[in-house]
Amino acid sequence: MLIGGFFAAIGLLIIQSCSKTPIACFTTTPGMDSIHVNTPVIFDARCSVYAGSYNWQFYNNVDSIAFTPTVTKTFKDTGTVDVYLLVTWGNQYAGETQNIVVQP
């Protein structure tokens, strides 16, 4: 009976975890107000909640897509870059967009 109860508890945890709504979140190092041309920037989504997969898009370059919790980018030009993160957990998803200003 103990084994059957164990598997029932595991099944319940899986069902409950799939119904959790993810929250997308990311930070940068250096901070978003200190990003400069030709300086590596670490984008870190580990502050996201219930994130099973990650999809980054950097809109200064349509081919710039990554699928990991952390991404390092170096921007070659000044200006504003829209950064979009989509996180998914089961069939739930959430997105976060930040406008990054790249300084000289």
Side-chain angles (χ1 to χ4, degrees):
M1 195 64 159
L2 183 59
I3 292 175
F6 173 77
F7 288 115
I10 294 296
L12 181 60
L13 286 174
I14 290 171
I15 291 169
Q16 288 176 342
S17 67
C18 289
S19 66
K20 302 286 185 180
T21 302
I23 299 170
C25 164
F26 67 87
T27 61
T28 62
T29 304
M32 288 188 203
D33 59 345
S34 301
I35 296 175
H36 294 275
V37 171
N38 297 321
T39 302
V41 180
I42 299 169
F43 291 85
D44 187 346
R46 290 179 292 178
C47 57
S48 297
V49 179
Y50 299 117
S53 66
Y54 304 84
N55 182 331
W56 294 93
Q57 295 183 11
F58 297 85
Y59 287 105
N60 66 326
N61 180 349
V62 294
D63 294 329
S64 183
I65 297 175
F67 300 100
T68 58
T70 59
V71 175
T72 301
K73 294 287 294 172
T74 301
F75 298 99
K76 305 281 184 208
D77 298 310
T78 60
T80 302
V81 177
D82 294 329
V83 179
Y84 179 68
L85 169 67
L86 176 72
V87 296
T88 60
W89 181 260
N91 62 354
Q92 304 287 323
Y93 60 90
E96 172 75 16
T97 301
Q98 294 286 334
N99 298 317
I100 306 297
V101 177
V102 180
Q103 303 172 38

